[in-house]
């Protein structure tokens, strides 16, 4: 019993040591609950001004859960798995080292595939809580998550503009009508799929890329794809590998080469220099090999190599100066530095250096430290080892090597020269593996790890899932029974059954989703797909699915209901989107959609006219009528019309430059955030100074939120002009009064109350938070005089400004917030030329 307890403690320690991901949860502004893992690299807190690249990772359908107690399923595959086993998500290109932030949401089991709200929630969380670089946000996912990646950037105009690059892995779906959003946004794509994938056919990725490549204009850059000849559906270990065993550059280095601001720009990316490790020699050995053959170019090819000596003794001979790899000989005692310059096909170049230390005897180089991980126990036939804790105190580790020392059988080792090898084909017993690490100067160290396997006398084989039952019924019969008791496990027993609906109308009710056999009720006309997942006593799983067809009686079939949407005026310049999303069939399903133009100018071009969501292009001013015809699964049809207007006949926009205000600063912020267009959208903003004691500096005068600088005491008038999508305009003026700081002090502003100096200098507090009517700000600094408190809403619009007098020392100041809108607000305390203090709170 004590032995088992020790093993349990060891296992828990292993889990804790790898648990760098923090479980989080949130309810998004759209009301969606999301449980997710947040990963911050070890260097996140060392530089409070640094912004980090961000990856949003979407898992497969098998990792769905409730977002709380089942969140650990997310770490089963892909990037979260790499982090769980010790990855710091740190990579280097062109000598620059970067670390990723990673957000990994968990999809609820009530969804069969990803919905956009989960990615929206992660972006919402990142904006409020993380120091991430908006120019370097990346989206990737595997299987259903690969489909979620395709769907998010193709389902809505503008989504593709959020990301610097995407990487769908064997994606299970995409939104066909929006694939050209990817081309239009110049979004880099690297897709992965195995040719022998038996779960998600490779044709899905091929068709998705075909849709992108046929867009006009053509995609720039063209989408990148890697097809593996084999590997089936489980290729994520290869795609998300962090070494260069499968791809050079790997996915993460490729991500770091992409920025949203430079996507599609006609500029050449510099090549990447990758060199062999520094060399240490002991005479009489006086020759070394310099290798730069692993250098590469992201967007072209390497055309030349040039080796030179930068420093060191004058005695040396170089075999070839223009080869990717060369030999140097006739070296003498000292330190040589050799440089390789590589040039790509567009003339861009990059350099890298190798140091060669020649000694008469080994000097005081410190050996590396090998860490093979803690001993542990497992009931699985496959385990994962980690050498991530290894390090070199005065250099770098250049190689890893894992070897089996002992065990009841010879295990299969994959990745035996990497940080994270996979050990499989294990039977019951105790195994020992040795990790040998070598540093950049050739010194080595080793460490061993032992693990106990208790999975029976043979390797565990997965179970077989089998479903029987009635799969074709005719209404009014609306239920059937599905039986999974025929499922088997050849070397154990089935311990768990899980039923779920994969596709079909959302009316079905599964009476017991964990029973061997379950009753399905609430069926309507249409085709359903149900899945059974079985788990054996050692944790191996298998799935099977079955289609259930529900037929309607043709005598009682009700026609479908067509709904082409409400009449509208398009907010766009020359195009509009049509939607049949509100159409339905009361006793079956809609199997066909068809859009036609009935009247209006003859310039319009309909695309996607046989889909639920059609697009109308080449529109000119006028009124159009489009007809939607829907057909149900038994052949009955129905139609509905929608009127679409494009033109300048509509209502003008409303300009709102905000309320007049007074300031003592030499700058101010203006806001057009309250402007709107009642029947379209505002397309342009323009600010102009009308009057004032001097000509102020107007910064970002064509945006919604400009800044004014160089203000003098006096009264200024600024005019806002807004233009809508039909060309109509409107104006509004705002008066900004600037008072001198001396005058402001002389006006006997309300004075803040001194409090106990126990509040440390430089510190501030805000309470209560959240608040409904009042907040109190307490802060301590050496400033004395007039100061102001400015409150902004979540969009950056100024919502409140109050001015007070501050005595020297710690003070507190109540502020009435009862008139503010509900939601997140920011408070800025401005005391003269001191660094402003910023707090945030929630207004209830």
């Amino acid at each position: 019993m004590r032995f088992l307890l020790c093993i349990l403690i060891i296992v828990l320690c292993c889990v804790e040591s790898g648990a760098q991901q923090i479980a989080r949860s949130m309810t998004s502004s759209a009301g969606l609950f999301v449980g997710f893992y947040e990963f911050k690299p070890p260097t996140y807190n060392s530089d409070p001004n640094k912004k980090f690249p961000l990856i949003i990772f979407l898992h497969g359908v098998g990792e769905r859960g409730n977002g709380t107690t089942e969140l650990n399923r997310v770490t089963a595959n892909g990037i979260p798995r790499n982090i769980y086993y010790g990855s710091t998500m740190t990579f280097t290109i062109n000598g620059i080292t970067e670390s990723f932030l990673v957000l990994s949401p968990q999809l609820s089991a009530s969804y069969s595939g990803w919905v956009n709200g989960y990615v929206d929630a992660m972006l919402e969380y990142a904006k409020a809580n993380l120091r991430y670089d908006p120019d370097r946000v990346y989206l990737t996912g595997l299987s259903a998550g690969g489909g979620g990646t395709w769907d998010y950037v193709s389902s809505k105009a503008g989504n593709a503009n959020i990301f610097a690059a995407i990487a769908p892995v064997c994606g299970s779906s995409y939104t066909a009508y929006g694939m050209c959003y990817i081309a239009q946004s110049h979004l880099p794509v690297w897709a992965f799929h195995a040719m022998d994938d038996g779960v998600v056919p490779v044709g899905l990725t091929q068709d998705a890329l075909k849709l992108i490549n046929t867009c006009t204009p053509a995609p720039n850059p063209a989408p990148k794809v890697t097809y593996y000849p084999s590997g089936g559906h489980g290729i994520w270990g290869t795609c998300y590998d962090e070494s260069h065993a499968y791809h050079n550059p790997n996915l993460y280095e490729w991500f770091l080469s992409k920025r949203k601001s430079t996507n599609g720009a006609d500029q050449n990316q510099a090549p990447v220099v990758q060199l062999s490790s520094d060399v240490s020699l002991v005479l009489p050995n006086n020759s070394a090999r310099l290798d730069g053959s692993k250098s590469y170019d992201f967007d072209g090819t390497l055309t030349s190599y040039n080796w030179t000596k930068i420093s060191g003794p004058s005695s040396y001979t170089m075999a070839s100066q223009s080869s990717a790899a060369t030999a140097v000989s006739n070296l003498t005692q000292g330190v040589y530095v050799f440089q390789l310059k590589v040039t790509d096909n567009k003339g861009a170049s990059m350099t890298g250096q190798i140091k060669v230390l020649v000694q008469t005897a080994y000097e005081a180089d410190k050996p590396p430290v090998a860490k093979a991980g803690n001993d542990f126990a497992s009931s699985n036939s496959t385990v994962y080892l980690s050498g991530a804790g290894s390090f070199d105190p005065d250099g770098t580790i250049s190689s890893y090597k894992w070897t089996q020392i002992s065990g009841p059988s010879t295990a299969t080792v994959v990745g035996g020269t990497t940080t994270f090898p996979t050990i499989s084909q294990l039977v019951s017993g105790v195994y020992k593996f040795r990790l040998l690490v070598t540093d950049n100067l050739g010194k080595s160290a080793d460490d061993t790890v032992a693990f106990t396997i208790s999975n029976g006398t043979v390797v565990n084989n997965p179970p077989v899932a089998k479903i029987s039952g009635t799969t074709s019924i005719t209404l009014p019969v609306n239920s059937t029974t599905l039986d999974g008791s025929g499922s088997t496990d050849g070397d154990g027993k089935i311990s768990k059954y899980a039923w779920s609906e994969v596709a079909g109308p959302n009316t079905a009710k599964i009476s017991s989703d964990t029973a061997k056999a379950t009753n399905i009720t609430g069926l309507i006309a249409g085709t359903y797909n149900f899945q059974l997942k079985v788990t054996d006593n050692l944790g191996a799983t298998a799935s099977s699915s079955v289609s259930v067809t529900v037929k309607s009686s043709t005598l009682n079939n009700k026609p479908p209901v067509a709904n082409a949407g409400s009449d509208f005026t398009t907010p766009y310049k020359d195009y509009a989107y049509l939607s049949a999303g509100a159409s339905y069939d009361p006793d079956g399903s809609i199997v066909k959609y068809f859009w036609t133009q009935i009247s209006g100018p003859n310039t319009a071009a309909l695309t996607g006219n046989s889909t639920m969501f059609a697009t109308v292009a080449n529109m000119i001013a006028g009124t159009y009528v489009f007809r939607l015809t829907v057909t149900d699964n038994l052949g009955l049809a129905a139609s509905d019309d929608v009127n679409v207007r494009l033109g300048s006949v509509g209502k003008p926009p409303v300009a709102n430059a905000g309320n007049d205000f007074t300031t003592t600063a030499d700058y101010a912020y203006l806001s057009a955030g309250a402007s709107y267009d009642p029947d379209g959208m505002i397309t342009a903003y323009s600010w102009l100074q009308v009057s004032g004691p001097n000509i102020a500096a107007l910064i970002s005068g064509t945006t919604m939120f400009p800044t004014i600088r160089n203000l003098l005491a006096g009264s200024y008038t600024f005019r806002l002009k807004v233009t809508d999508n039909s060309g109509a305009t409107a104006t509004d003026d705002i008066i900004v009064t600037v008072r001198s700081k001396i005058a402001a002090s002389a006006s006997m502003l309300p004075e803040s109350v001194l409090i106990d100096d126990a509040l440390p200098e430089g510190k501030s507090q805000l309470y209560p938070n959240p608040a409904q009517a009042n907040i109190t700000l307490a802060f301590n600094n050496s400033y004395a005089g007039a100061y102001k408190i400015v409150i902004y809403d979540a969009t950056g619009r100024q919502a409140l400004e109050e001015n007070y007098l501050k005595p020297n020392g710690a003070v507190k100041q109540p502020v009435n917030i009862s008139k503010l809108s509900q939601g997140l607000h920011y408070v800025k305390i401005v005391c003269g030329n001191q660094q402003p203090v910023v707090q945030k709170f929630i207004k209830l």
Side-chain angles (χ1 to χ4, degrees), residues 557-562 585 590 592 628-640:
N557 180 38
K558 297 179 182 179
V561 177
D585 186 40
I590 294 177
K592 184 178 180 181
L628 164 69
T629 301
V630 297
T631 306
D632 71 9
N633 55 308
L634 293 178
L636 289 184
S639 298
D640 187 34

Side-chain angles (χ1 to χ4, degrees), residues 277-461:
S277 302
D278 293 341
V279 181
S280 178
L281 302 176
V282 177
L283 294 172
N285 185 6
N286 65 350
S287 62
R289 175 178 170 81
L290 312 178
D291 192 351
S293 60
K294 292 186 177 180
S295 303
Y296 58 87
D297 187 39
F298 281 111
D299 55 355
T301 57
L302 296 180
T303 57
S304 68
Y305 301 82
N306 184 28
W307 290 95
T308 55
K309 186 188 74 138
I310 301 301
S311 62
S314 59
S315 173
Y316 77 99
T317 300
M318 184 176 290
S320 173
Q321 190 175 357
S322 59
S323 300
T326 188
V328 288
S329 57
N330 297 325
L331 304 177
T332 61
Q333 182 180 3
V335 179
Y336 293 81
V337 178
F338 294 97
Q339 177 174 285
L340 172 62
K341 178 181 180 181
V342 298
T343 305
D344 68 14
N345 58 313
K346 293 183 180 179
S349 61
M350 187 59 64
T351 61
Q353 296 179 350
I354 295 179
K355 181 188 297 183
V356 179
L357 172 64
V358 183
Q359 307 168 94
T360 57
Y362 276 116
E363 297 175 359
D365 170 44
K366 296 179 181 179
V369 177
K371 295 286 187 179
N374 296 323
D375 298 342
F376 63 95
S378 174
S379 61
N380 297 323
S381 59
T382 299
V383 299
Y384 309 97
L385 303 183
S386 171
S390 305
F391 65 95
D392 185 35
D394 58 355
T396 59
I397 293 179
S398 58
S399 68
Y400 297 81
K401 183 179 181 181
W402 297 85
T403 54
Q404 181 177 348
I405 299 174
S406 62
S409 66
T410 301
T412 298
V413 180
V414 178
T417 58
T418 68
T419 311
F420 307 103
T422 300
I423 316 298
S424 59
Q425 304 296 317
L426 299 173
V427 298
S428 293
V430 178
Y431 291 81
K432 285 188 178 181
F433 275 79
R434 174 176 178 260
L435 167 63
L436 177 70
V437 296
T438 305
D439 69 12
N440 56 303
L441 294 179
K443 288 194 174 181
S444 300
D446 60 27
D447 188 28
T448 59
V449 61
F451 53 89
T452 302
I453 302 298
S454 55
N455 63 351
T457 58
V458 296
V459 175
N460 184 37
N461 293 312

Side-chain angles (χ1 to χ4, degrees), residues 96 192 228 240 244 277 282 287 312 351 359 426 444 586 651 663 674 743-744 752 823 844:
I96 299 175
F192 301 84
Y228 302 111
Y240 293 110
H244 297 107
S277 302
V282 177
S287 62
T351 61
Q359 307 168 94
L426 299 173
S444 300
K651 299 178 182 178
T663 180
S752 298
L844 299 176

Side-chain angles (χ1 to χ4, degrees), residues 16-57:
E16 181 65 26
S17 66
Q20 302 176 47
Q21 301 173 99
I22 300 176
R24 305 281 193 197
S25 65
M26 66 177 290
T27 298
S28 72
S29 58
L32 177 67
F33 174 80
V34 181
F36 61 98
Y37 277 122
E38 172 193 77
F39 170 77
K40 293 178 181 177
T43 58
Y44 185 80
N45 294 321
S46 62
D47 184 355
N49 298 314
K50 179 178 175 62
K51 292 186 177 181
F52 291 77
L54 168 65
I55 295 176
I56 297 176
F57 172 82

Side-chain angles (χ1 to χ4, degrees), residues 227-238:
Y227 292 119
Y228 302 111
S230 61
H233 192 53
I235 59 172
W236 15 95
T238 303

